[in-house]
Structures are given as C-alpha cells and as structure tokens.
Amino acid sequence: MLHCQSKASGSWSFSLRWIQCVLTLFVVPVISHPQCLDFKPPFRPSRELEFCLMYKDFGCCDYQRDQELITRFYQVMEDFDESGYSSCAGFVMQFLCQECSPYAAHLYDAEDPSTPVRTIPGLCPDYCSHFYTTCPRILPLLSNDPLIMKVKENQTLACQYLELDDMDYCYPHLLSNQKLTLNLGQVQSNSEGCIQLCLEEVANGLRNPLAMVHANDGTHRFFVAEQLGLVWTYLPDRSRLENPFLNISKAVLTSSWEGDERGFLGLTFHPKFKYNGKLYVYYSVEVGLEERIRISEFHVSSYDMNVVDHASERVILEVDEPASNHNGGQLLFGDDGYLYIFTGDGGMSGDPFGKYGNAQNKSALLGKVLRIDVEGNDKGPLYRIPPDNPFIQEPGARPEVYAYGVRNMWRCSVDRGDPLSKYGKGRIFCGDVGQNKFEEIDIIEKGRNFGWRAKEGFSCYDKTLCRNSSLGDVLPIYAYPHKMGKSVTGGYVYRGCEYPNLNGMYIFGDFMSGRLMSLKEDRDTGTWTYREVCMGMGRTCAFPGLINTYHQYIISFGEDESGELYFMSTGIPSATSPSGVVYKVVDPSRRAPPRHCYYNPLPVRVKSNLIKFVPVELPMSLTPAAEPTESIDWLQELINLQAEVENHPAIFSSSKVEPQKNSQGGGRKGRPRAHSEPAFQNGAVRLEVNEHGPGDRGRVEIYINGEWGTVCDDLWSIKGADVVCRQLGFKYALKAARNSEFGEGTHLRILLDDVQCKGSESNLLRCKHRGVGTHNCAHYEDAGVVCGNSD
C-alpha cells in the first residue's frame, strides 16, 4: 500500500512519492449514479441519434446535440488524409460521444467542484496507451487545455493526466461494468428494495401546510394553505406574494396544541375557475357551543387575481361535529365536474355514535364521501344532487352520500391517467386513517361501503358488524400495520412529465412515522405491489439543489399544474409552528428529454410585494477539499521531475512504487484509510431504526464500557435530544421521540434511565441519570430523536 508520509521537502523520494500519491488516490465503491454535464439525470432521446449510436437508447444527448457533435467531428477530421482518417476517426468519435454517456459528469470530472471540468473524458490506462500509439495528434484538435499542450508529446505524462482517479468510471471500462450498466435508467433501489428518490425544497417557514393546489388556469401558480386559515400564492419561480391569497384565520377554529385536527382543512378550485373565479374551502368553526365543519364558496377579487374577495363567502354546507377529532377535510372536483367532500366519522374512538356508528348510517353526513353539483348555483339552490347519486331513492338516506363506511379519509386525489393511454383517468385514491391496528388506501367507488366500523383495513374491528355479510364492503387496495405508521397521509398517482419512471406509481406517506411509501398496479391482475421510498444515500442525491432529508410529520401531498409531485411536512405538528416545508419529489435515475416538458405560464398581474424563495435545507454536495497552504502546480512539478528522472534513472528505479489497485476505500480524491478504526469512547451515540430510514432520526443507542445499549424515555426531553443531535453533527433536535417510536432495541441492554439534561452537556453520561445499567423501564419505552439542520 502507498502511504503519503511526511519527509523532508527536498527529498527526491518524497517529491515523487507525493506526486504518485496524487495520482493513485482511493475511490468509493462503485455505485450507479448517472449524471450529465448539466448536472441532471440522463434521459431516453425522443428521436434516435445518428452519430453517437452507443447512447441512442439512454444517455445525455438529444438529437439536436447529436447533430452538433457530428458537425464538430467533421471539423476535426477535415485536415486528415485517408490513412489518418482510417486511424483516428474512431477515436475522435468515441471522445466526442462521451458527452452523451449517462455518466458524463463522472467522465469529465464535473461533479467535483474543486477541479475544472475536463475537456477530454477520463480514460482507462490501457485504452490511453492504445490511443496514444495509434493517433496522438488529435489531442490538441479536441482540447484547448494548456496542460495538455505541455504533455502532448510525452505518452506517460499525457496518459497520467488523462487518467480518471475513479477507475470504476473510466472510458471504456465503464461500458462493461455490470454494476453501472445493470438496471441503468430504472428507478434505483437499495439492497433492501427501497426506492431511492431525492427532494427539492420549494417553500418553507409555513405553519402546518396541509394543502397545495393549483387553479388550472394556465398561470402555473400554486397555493399553499396553512391550518390557521391562511392561503399563500407562489409564482412559478417559487417567489411568494407578501399578501395572503385568503385569510379567514379569525373564523377558523383551531389551537396551538400538537396534533389538533381542527382548522382550515381543505381547498379546491372550480374546474372553470379561469372563467368564473370560484373556489371552495373546508374548515372548522364554532357556532355557539357547537363545533362544525363548514364548506364555503368564495370568488376571487375582481381587482386582484391573487386575492380572494372575502365578502363573497357563501356557506354551501355545515355539519355538526360531536367531537374535536376526525374532521375529514378533503375537497376535490372529480372528472365528472361534481364536488366531492370527504367527512370524518365524528371523532372519539370506534365511531360510537348510534347503533352502528355514523359511518354506516346513510342518514348521517359524517363518515362519508359526499358528491354535490355546484355548477350554475348563482341563482337558486346553493347545490343540487347529481341525478346518478346512488342513494337518491333510498328512504332515510341523505341524497348527497356517494360512498360510506369511511373513518377519517386524510388526503385524496384524482388520477390524471396515463399520459398516452389515459388508463386510470378519473380514479379517486384516498388514505383512510385507522383506529388501533391498520392504515389503508382505498379507491372510491360509487355507492360502495368501505367497511368502517365493521372493518379496519382487512381485519374485523366490530366483530358483530363484521359477521354481517350484507355489508358488501369494499376492501382497500393496501393496508399496513401500526408498526409501520399510525396515521396515513394519502398521496397521488404520479402522472408528471419530468420523471417518466415514476408514471403510474402511487406515492403516499405516514404522518406519525414519517415513512414515504409507494404502490404500483399490475394491470393484468389488478393487484398493487408495495415498495418503500427512501431518500437516496451516498452520491445518489448529489445534484445541485437536491436534498435527501425532510421533516418527519408528513401532512399532505400536492400536484402542480404540470403534474409534478410534492409533499408537505413539518418538524413540529402545531398550527402555530413555522417549521413546515414543501418538497418536490425528484427521481435521480432518469428525466424526460430536454424541452420535452416545456410550458409557458400565462402572465400573472402582481399587486403585492414578492418574497424571494430562499431554501433553508442544506443541499447534498461533496465536502469541499481543504485549501492547501501553498498553491502547487502538481502537473508542472511532475513534468519537471520526469525530465530530471530521465537524466537520473537510478533514482527513479530506487523510488518506484506500484500504483494502488483500488476496490474500495475513502472518498474520491480523498485520503487513504487509516490502518484501523479507533475504539468507541464512553458516551458515543448512534441512531437506529427497524426499517431503512433517513439518517437524521432513530432510536438512541449509547456506548458505555464496551457495549451498546438503549436509553429509556422516562424524563426524556428535547434537551437530552439536543445533546444527542449535537454529538451527531446536527444543529438542532427537532423532536425527543418516546414510546419506542423507532422500534425496540430488544437485542441490547437498557443502559440509561431517567436522563435529565440541561442541553449543553457533551454527552448523555454528563447528564443526570439513574446510573449505568440501572432502570425500572422496558424496551417499549426506548427513546429516540429527530435531528435537523434547520430550526
């Protein structure tokens, strides 16, 4: 192994050894991470390439760029005779076409911000030797790099300069590297099959953002609603208008309690909003001593397209709420043009209202999917009943009821349908929050019973009702147990343009566990396959502006006008905490071809001040190398040394070191590994979870006297979490998790109990506690943390 040890600066052996250290650095194990020179994922060209045929199926060039490379090829080759053309044309084409490689950013060293982008792709040593003995004269024709001009006459120096430090990606060996080429262009997953996606922050500083909608009016604005009763307008460049679009916070009933389910809960725009200016909201109100849910209609102001006329409110429907939870809150327009309203069962536990509960009682509006017609309601009734509503003729049933037997559907969406075949268009997907054991995803069907309170997920909840075969209830397409999450947040079927691999994938989440999940339909069998969604690890999300962490409490999902997918989460689930963030979902493995997803937003007349978007999350990036104390032109030194070595062959032979053949090691352009890992010190901590999850949260495990153990959550507080997160390199503790939220560490001893910290201690051992190994608790009380770099 080559060690870069310190020697006297004037030593020949040190100088040559130092340069060889530079040229034989360790690299990370190969991980498929396609990236183009524009720092975006590669794509499948919409028109077949004619020149760079090796990348015609998947790469970084579209037809236009391919034609530009053909032109440059002929410019380079115009001075070659027939013999030179025969010898050099193949090399020129191969060099030029590496810009089209799915791994172009690696080949040209574009990912490392501390180095200039190469003008010649990184070559494997054997290929460089072959090229140099065949046609070295093309180098100055392809590159204006002055350093290449210095070494172009010396094969050894030239090939050392053209070599790529990361041999896994050098040309042409990367073409036969199965770890790189296997499943190239498909959604990447880790060893456990968890889909690896990335995120882009698009809005922040929001207080429990629970709806993101667009007006479908061609402006590509999006509107984000806060639980307090404010709605904000965002322009396509992500700047926010200073004045709110809607502010009914004085009328909205909510509180600052964590987990309060009341408040502003839903927002949707009329399908003809562009022409009639109508929108509909769903919120909690207090009337006298009663709590109600209210659905109201508003008009946008005739003076400002970015402000609602608050005096235009018309209450369409009110429903009494017997309890403060299970308020539902989704509003949407179906493809049929009717308004769908999703109400909760009224609250408490187990739908205890009446003999069968509200959800099974078709004369009650709670626990239902309602469907009404608000078209042409400026005169006459506020809404009409669609003529094909299923229970119009049933005595005692409310005619608004479209489906029943739902507990508390939280976030529903309409499938736009496959962009080409339109398969799935109009389906309504909902997440229905469970009671004690299961969360479920449903597809809404007219007139059907979705089972609650007889069933929860696929299992019986009320055994008496469950035995009633006349229920004819619809089973969910997917249900998951509470060990995975305890409050489902329904999502969307992705039908956007930018990430074709995600088409048809239903992506949703869980509010409590922070888990992102997906379902994909097998159209032949009608079954749905589950795959968890993870944040891309390592270099997977190392694209400009992308992040791979998010706040745990996933409140809602949304689409923009072009169909791209977003979700909203917060670090503190309180209506008054400004910790809410909107994230865009990004697939780093493949994108649509350039200009394929272009849209031209209609102009927006702005009368309010604009607040420029400033991200607060830290994007993924390579750690910058430490600045050298002295600027060194290592290539020039190598050239000078090589000249002297040629005059002193004895010195060269006595100093020669074989280059290190790397199969694994430290970071790219990084340091060699240490001989051994240092032992853990007392008080060291780590985060563990039962399932794969982001590295900023997990069960706290502590190292004491040679063993790892867990911490009990008796007296566990945010100050103790502060100590742990700071040890792990995070700025803040966002949550002190309790009740084994991140699983039970039953394979370990409980080492600390009754931990009481001031928050400034260096580790938990410095805090007050019962004593190492002394406790009166169990693993179902294992403590955890959620950390972050934004407060």
Side-chain angles (χ1 to χ4, degrees):
M1 177 177 288
L2 179 64
H3 295 287
C4 300
Q5 297 175 345
S6 176
K7 299 288 184 183
S9 60
S11 165
W12 262 102
S13 61
F14 165 71
S15 297
L16 187 57
R17 186 181 296 269
W18 176 81
I19 292 168
Q20 287 171 325
C21 283
V22 174
L23 296 175
T24 57
L25 295 171
F26 285 81
V27 295
V28 294
V30 60
I31 298 174
S32 181
H33 177 240
Q35 187 168 342
C36 299
L37 288 176
D38 62 359
F39 304 106
K40 293 181 180 179
F43 52 87
R44 201 172 304 283
S46 52
R47 181 175 176 182
E48 192 168 291
L49 309 185
E50 296 178 348
F51 181 57
C52 299
L53 296 179
M54 68 285 280
Y55 301 120
K56 65 182 178 65
D57 295 322
F58 190 73
C60 294
C61 291
D62 59 3
Y63 181 80
Q64 178 177 319
R65 184 56 185 157
D66 184 63
Q67 294 299 301
E68 292 170 356
L69 292 175
I70 290 179
T71 301
R72 189 174 177 207
F73 171 80
Y74 285 119
Q75 290 172 346
V76 171
M77 298 304 299
E78 63 184 3
D79 293 331
F80 283 78
D81 58 21
E82 184 175 346
S83 174
Y85 198 100
S86 176
S87 301
C88 298
F91 289 110
V92 174
M93 182 193 73
Q94 290 164 4
F95 282 21
L96 291 175
C97 285
Q98 295 324 299
E99 184 181 326
C100 303
S101 167
Y103 294 99
H106 297 268
L107 283 165
Y108 289 87
D109 218 10
E111 289 187 307
D112 189 340
S114 66
T115 61
V117 176
R118 291 170 176 261
T119 54
I120 301 290
L123 306 179
C124 300
D126 53 349
Y127 176 82
C128 185
S129 297
H130 172 57
F131 138 71
Y132 217 89
T133 57
T134 306
C135 190
R137 61 180 288 196
I138 64 173
L139 277 182
L141 300 176
L142 293 173
S143 172
N144 58 3
D145 185 342
L147 293 178
I148 286 182
M149 298 302 103
K150 290 182 180 181
V151 298
K152 63 185 176 63
E153 303 299 333
N154 186 308
Q155 177 179 334
T156 301
L157 294 179
C159 285
Q160 285 177 333
Y161 182 59
L162 294 176
E163 276 184 23
L164 198 63
D165 294 333
D166 194 338
M167 289 299 183
D168 286 319
Y169 290 98
C170 68
Y171 180 80
H173 292 178
L174 86 166
L175 298 177
S176 58
N177 188 330
Q178 290 190 356
K179 291 182 180 179
L180 292 175
T181 57
L182 186 65
N183 298 324
L184 181 63
Q186 299 181 23
V187 178
Q188 297 300 306
S189 57
N190 64 14
S191 59
E192 299 174 351
C194 192
I195 298 171
Q196 295 195 66
L197 300 178
C198 305
L199 303 175
E200 187 177 353
E201 181 186 356
V202 299
N204 53 47
L206 293 156
R207 294 168 295 181
N208 266 19
L210 45 70
M212 172 188 168
V213 296
H214 63 86
N216 198 33
D217 60 354
T219 64
H220 288 265
R221 294 173 293 172
F222 63 88
F223 303 83
V224 179
E226 295 178 321
Q227 187 176 352
L228 285 172
L230 291 95
V231 180
W232 302 99
T233 305
Y234 289 83
L235 300 182
D237 66 358
R238 297 177 184 171
S239 59
R240 176 171 70 85
L241 271 63
E242 185 177 52
N243 296 333
F245 178 69
L246 175 68
N247 183 358
I248 55 172
S249 55
K250 290 184 178 179
V252 169
L253 173 64
T254 190
S255 74
S256 60
W257 308 334
E258 289 192 14
D260 191 347
E261 298 178 20
R262 302 168 301 176
F264 189 103
L265 302 176
L267 166 70
T268 190
F269 287 83
H270 194 286
K272 299 177 182 176
F273 171 79
K274 184 176 180 179
Y275 307 103
N276 64 23
K278 290 184 178 182
L279 59 143
Y280 298 82
V281 300
Y282 185 131
Y283 62 101
S284 303
V285 294
E286 190 171 39
V287 180
L289 299 177
E290 293 182 344
E291 293 185 9
R292 298 178 184 175
I293 54 175
R294 174 181 290 171
I295 289 84
S296 287
E297 177 187 88
F298 287 88
H299 281 76
V300 73
S301 168
S302 59
Y303 300 101
D304 189 342
M305 65 185 300
N306 295 304
V307 173
V308 167
D309 178 0
H310 292 70
S312 68
E313 180 177 12
R314 295 198 301 168
V315 177
I316 299 292
L317 182 66
E318 282 189 353
V319 183
D320 288 340
E321 273 285 349
S324 61
N325 60 337
H326 299 187
N327 302 298
Q330 181 71 52
L331 284 178
L332 57 81
F333 279 91
D335 275 10
D336 52 17
Y338 297 131
L339 179 62
Y340 288 75
I341 304 166
F342 300 80
T343 63
D345 66 6
M348 298 191 192
S349 176
D351 193 5
F353 307 103
K355 185 176 181 180
Y356 304 112
N358 281 325
Q360 291 296 321
N361 178 6
K362 285 178 279 189
S363 65
L365 294 180
L366 294 172
K368 304 294 188 299
V369 180
L370 310 178
R371 184 174 75 154
I372 60 176
D373 182 2
V374 294
E375 185 67 26
N377 66 347
D378 295 328
K379 297 180 180 179
L382 294 170
Y383 68 86
R384 296 178 174 83
I385 304 300
D388 63 337
N389 267 16
F391 304 112
I392 292 178
Q393 304 301 324
E394 184 173 320
R398 289 292 298 258
E400 297 93 341
V401 175
Y402 183 77
Y404 64 106
V406 306
R407 184 174 181 272
N408 190 40
M409 286 185 161
W410 183 249
R411 293 312 173 234
C412 304
S413 61
V414 180
D415 186 355
R416 294 185 179 213
D418 183 88
L420 297 178
S421 69
K422 301 304 178 184
Y423 175 80
K425 190 175 189 309
R427 295 182 298 186
I428 298 176
F429 289 76
C430 288
D432 199 4
V433 179
Q435 179 70 48
N436 297 326
K437 295 181 178 180
F438 298 100
E439 307 294 308
E440 67 182 68
I441 299 296
D442 298 297
I443 298 179
I444 302 304
E445 299 178 31
K446 182 173 73 172
R448 301 301 301 273
N449 180 2
F450 286 85
W452 176 250
R453 72 183 187 201
K455 288 184 178 177
E456 178 188 11
F458 293 104
S459 71
C460 286
Y461 176 79
D462 184 322
K463 292 183 172 56
T464 302
L465 282 176
C466 196
R467 286 194 292 267
N468 185 353
S469 61
S470 66
L471 284 173
D473 50 313
V474 179
L475 295 176
I477 62 170
Y478 181 71
Y480 61 92
H482 276 190
K483 68 179 182 181
M484 292 174 59
K486 297 181 179 179
S487 182
V488 66
T489 300
Y492 282 78
V493 178
Y494 180 83
R495 299 297 188 185
C497 173
E498 294 180 16
Y499 306 109
N501 283 340
L502 302 184
N503 182 40
M505 189 179 294
Y506 178 73
I507 297 177
F508 63 106
D510 187 273
F511 175 78
M512 291 301 295
S513 69
R515 191 184 298 263
L516 286 169
M517 299 169 273
S518 75
L519 298 173
K520 191 68 180 285
E521 183 182 16
D522 182 330
R523 291 172 58 176
D524 294 329
T525 64
T527 57
W528 294 79
T529 302
Y530 170 84
R531 291 182 71 184
E532 189 161 352
V533 175
C534 302
M535 294 295 96
M537 303 303 290
R539 300 171 64 87
T540 305
C541 296
F543 294 76
L546 297 191
I547 56 178
N548 69 344
T549 59
Y550 58 90
H551 291 311
Q552 173 185 344
Y553 298 102
I554 301 173
I555 306 176
S556 191
F557 286 77
E559 276 184 329
D560 63 17
E561 194 165 348
S562 58
E564 298 307 317
L565 180 63
Y566 302 75
F567 72 89
M568 288 139 276
S569 69
T570 185
I572 302 173
S574 164
T576 57
S577 173
S579 59
V581 181
V582 181
Y583 303 97
K584 181 180 181 180
V585 176
V586 175
D587 174 15
S589 62
R590 179 187 170 193
R591 59 167 158 150
R595 297 172 294 279
H596 182 71
C597 301
Y598 176 78
Y599 60 87
N600 187 22
L602 293 176
V604 177
R605 298 186 300 276
V606 175
K607 297 184 178 181
S608 167
N609 292 330
L610 291 178
I611 300 174
K612 185 179 179 181
F613 169 64
V614 179
V616 297
E617 302 289 333
L618 297 177
M620 288 291 296
S621 63
L622 299 177
T623 303
E627 288 295 325
T629 55
E630 181 181 357
S631 178
I632 300 172
D633 187 345
W634 67 266
L635 183 63
Q636 186 61 54
E637 184 167 338
L638 180 61
I639 294 170
N640 297 337
L641 277 173
Q642 184 73 12
E644 295 185 40
V645 166
E646 289 171 357
N647 295 323
H648 299 83
I651 296 176
F652 181 80
S653 60
S654 65
S655 310
K656 185 177 179 181
V657 181
E658 290 296 325
Q660 175 69 28
K661 295 181 179 179
N662 299 298
S663 60
Q664 53 181 318
R668 186 163 167 265
K669 292 203 172 184
R671 301 179 181 88
R673 284 177 168 181
H675 286 293
S676 61
E677 184 180 53
F680 294 108
Q681 295 186 350
N682 275 349
V685 289
R686 66 187 183 191
L687 302 185
E688 293 290 333
V689 289
N690 281 342
E691 303 289 340
H692 181 83
D696 59 352
R697 64 200 66 192
R699 180 178 61 248
V700 174
E701 295 184 357
I702 186 168
Y703 184 82
I704 305 175
N705 300 332
E707 70 171 316
W708 286 98
T710 65
V711 179
C712 229
D713 65 23
D714 288 348
L715 304 182
W716 185 240
S717 70
I718 196 69
K719 291 184 178 179
D722 276 332
V723 174
V724 171
C725 291
R726 193 169 59 251
Q727 274 186 266
L728 296 171
F730 293 94
K731 292 182 180 180
Y732 305 103
L734 303 178
K735 181 181 181 182
R738 301 166 66 89
N739 300 321
S740 65
E741 180 178 319
F742 296 106
E744 299 180 15
T746 52
H747 59 295
L748 302 173
R749 282 206 306 151
I750 298 173
L751 294 184
L752 289 185
D753 189 11
D754 292 342
V755 178
Q756 300 177 70
C757 300
K758 297 178 181 178
S760 58
E761 294 86 350
S762 59
N763 61 58
L764 296 181
L765 286 175
R766 301 283 185 179
C767 303
K768 183 180 178 181
H769 55 82
R770 181 180 283 266
V772 176
T774 303
H775 65 87
N776 62 353
C777 58
H779 279 295
Y780 62 79
E781 298 171 281
D782 280 341
V785 295
V786 179
C787 306
N789 287 314
S790 57
D791 190 359

